[in-house]
Amino acid sequence: GGSNREPPPFTSPKSYVQIAPPQLQSAHFARFGVETLFYMFYCFPRDRFQLYAALELYARKWLYHRELKVWFARLPGTTGGGSAGSAVGSGTGAGGGGAIGSQREVQQNGAAGAGGGSFLYFDVSSWERRPFHENDSANSLEADPNFASGFLSENEIRSCLTRAG
């Protein structure tokens, strides 16, 4: 043993570039698909990647509900009060994990509130975006006056990023 290491008895081919990849920056997140952003949000808890993914999802008009732990976006072409905009893109990806109990509640009761209209929500258990029309259920969350206040603001996410520093 010892701290003096000899170089290996071989050389790498010149075609093999040994340059470190660039560090992932917040500007890169705008290039990712929605499913990739959800993957990064759920698979990198308490990490800058999670915060950058959340900020990009907000830029794409998705809103995160702090109590239900579910992402919502207004369906394109619908109106209503609240701050949800239209959702960008469609499709599904692969992966899993997250707040399944909250997902079941949304599946059974719907993603209502935030001023009316129809929504998409991201179902972590099936890893896909699902439409929800708030009037589909007599027990919908529409009756809950605190539903709209449960959405995190973009400023709350930015303050977490500042503290993560």
Side-chain angles (χ1 to χ4, degrees):
S3 62
N4 295 337
R5 290 189 165 188
E6 294 183 28
F10 59 86
T11 58
S12 298
K14 291 181 182 183
S15 62
Y16 181 76
V17 179
Q18 297 181 352
I19 298 172
Q23 287 195 3
L24 192 58
Q25 298 175 3
S26 62
H28 295 133
F29 284 72
R31 298 179 189 157
F32 296 143
V34 174
E35 285 80 12
T36 302
L37 294 170
F38 283 128
Y39 175 83
M40 294 181 93
F41 178 82
Y42 286 109
C43 292
F44 293 98
R46 297 181 190 93
D47 189 287
R48 292 179 72 82
F49 289 162
Q50 183 183 46
L51 296 172
Y52 286 142
L55 285 173
E56 182 59 29
L57 286 164
Y58 267 71
R60 298 184 193 191
K61 309 296 185 201
W62 285 88
L63 298 171
Y64 187 73
H65 199 280
R66 76 181 91 227
E67 285 110 28
L68 297 175
K69 301 191 182 332
V70 177
W71 285 93
F72 294 96
R74 190 165 302 284
L75 282 169
T78 61
T79 60
S83 55
S86 63
V88 176
S90 63
T92 60
I100 304 303
S102 298
Q103 291 289 334
R104 286 195 184 112
E105 181 179 341
V106 171
Q107 288 170 348
Q108 291 169 0
N109 297 331
S118 298
F119 291 87
L120 287 176
Y121 70 95
F122 186 75
D123 184 349
V124 178
S125 62
S126 65
W127 209 257
E128 63 185 359
R129 288 168 266 189
R130 293 181 176 219
F132 181 83
H133 305 284
E134 60 201 339
N135 297 325
D136 286 353
S137 172
N139 299 323
S140 84
L141 294 170
E142 183 176 20
D144 184 356
N146 298 318
F147 179 76
S149 66
F151 289 116
L152 287 176
S153 72
E154 188 172 344
N155 287 337
E156 288 175 286
I157 295 170
R158 287 190 188 283
S159 70
C160 290
L161 189 58
T162 303
R163 287 192 305 261

